[in-house]
Amino acid sequence: MTEPCSDQAQAIRPIDRHSVHQICSGQVVLNLSTAVKELVENSIDAGATNIEIKLKESGAELVEVSDNGKGVEKGNFEGLTLKHHTSKLQEFSDLIHVETFGFRGEALSSLCALSDLSVVTCHESAKVGTRLVFDHDGRLTQKSPHPRQQGTTVTLQHLFSTLPVRHKEFQRNIKKEYAKMVQILQAYCIISTGVRITCTNQMGQGRRSPVLCTSGSHSLKDNIGAVFGPKQLQSLIP
């Protein structure tokens, strides 16, 4: 029989800010597919025409999304991963004019809380790229020059490692998580006309295996064929 909780444990007290951030971040990024979706959407919002997703161990060890978008300006480095920091709106009424996938400023902040996150970016106005490393609270801890063409690469290592129970569940169900992620990615491949999207996965020390690839066509029909193959395309109703 367990002992009753002490009066101190039963007292109503505020949760510390770090714990609140971790708990709420787990409600924004629910699984592997959400993490990949948020990064792909950021790339599309940045005007990318080429997006490359690299996974290790089906995403359990590493998720990396690279693009050739506009890149991040130097003045935005500090606020890039802070909670509710966004360039898309300043007040509630701005929502009516939002035309991007992301606008709340929660995705990168939440991913910081749930993984080891780093960014390599080169803005269209910059001569050299910059590597940025953030802590779990979204604060910039390291900044150094790094060779890169225009665009941004976001790397997540050990997703959900800061939430032990979630991490264990994630690893146990990694095949289901991976399959769900592929389905979500297929949908973005189809609707993202004019954007070349590729995804590869590396298991152990083996070679990278292609998961899917589109050519960057402006035709939905071409994208469907690239994702599902020409036979499936022929069976579509005109």
Side-chain angles (χ1 to χ4, degrees):
M1 184 175 179
T2 57
E3 295 182 4
C5 296
S6 64
D7 291 340
Q8 184 178 4
Q10 291 178 341
I12 297 177
R13 294 166 295 169
I15 304 173
D16 68 271
R17 292 181 64 183
H18 179 71
S19 297
V20 169
H21 184 45
Q22 283 189 305
I23 293 169
C24 292
S25 295
Q27 295 172 336
V28 175
V29 178
L30 304 174
N31 45 40
L32 175 64
S33 54
T34 309
V36 173
K37 175 189 84 73
E38 295 289 355
L39 295 180
V40 169
E41 286 182 348
N42 280 353
S43 294
I44 295 172
D45 287 345
T49 56
N50 188 48
I51 302 172
E52 184 178 3
I53 302 106
K54 293 181 179 179
L55 307 173
K56 284 187 178 180
E57 305 299 336
S58 302
E61 184 178 324
L62 178 137
V63 175
E64 182 179 280
V65 178
S66 300
D67 66 51
N68 65 343
K70 295 178 181 178
V72 182
E73 290 185 274
K74 184 178 179 180
N76 289 328
F77 288 171
E78 297 282 348
L80 182 63
T81 57
L82 294 179
K83 200 78 169 176
H84 301 136
H85 281 55
T86 178
S87 61
K88 308 302 192 304
L89 52 83
Q90 294 298 311
E91 54 188 36
F92 186 78
S93 59
D94 293 338
L95 281 171
I96 196 170
H97 304 296
V98 170
E99 296 180 345
T100 55
F101 283 111
F103 58 87
R104 295 180 302 174
E106 287 190 303
L108 289 178
S109 173
S110 298
L111 289 169
C112 277
L114 300 172
S115 66
D116 298 322
L117 186 145
S118 62
V119 175
V120 177
T121 187
C122 183
H123 188 255
E124 55 188 351
S125 63
K127 295 181 179 179
V128 65
T130 306
R131 184 174 186 269
L132 310 169
V133 179
F134 300 88
D135 65 14
H136 293 310
D137 291 320
R139 291 189 294 259
L140 180 61
T141 59
Q142 294 180 38
K143 181 172 66 173
S144 58
H146 197 283
R148 197 202 193 284
Q149 293 182 333
Q150 179 183 320
T152 301
T153 299
V154 180
T155 303
L156 312 176
Q157 291 182 295
H158 311 121
L159 187 62
F160 298 120
S161 59
T162 57
L163 302 175
V165 176
R166 174 74 70 85
H167 188 232
K168 188 176 181 180
E169 186 76 8
F170 173 58
Q171 289 185 313
R172 191 170 67 215
N173 296 311
I174 189 61
K175 288 185 178 180
K176 290 181 180 179
E177 292 267 352
Y178 174 74
K180 190 184 297 182
M181 183 278 300
V182 171
Q183 286 185 327
I184 293 292
L185 203 51
Q186 286 174 337
Y188 279 88
C189 284
I190 291 171
I191 67 169
S192 301
T193 54
V195 182
R196 181 176 184 269
I197 299 177
T198 61
C199 179
T200 58
N201 183 35
Q202 182 181 15
M203 301 297 291
Q205 299 299 315
R207 297 176 61 183
R208 291 201 160 274
S209 302
V211 177
L212 51 78
C213 178
T214 61
S215 62
S217 171
H218 289 272
S219 164
L220 281 175
K221 190 174 181 181
D222 289 346
N223 287 350
I224 293 171
V227 172
F228 297 112
K231 289 186 177 180
Q232 290 293 333
L233 187 60
Q234 292 172 5
S235 66
L236 292 176
I237 299 174

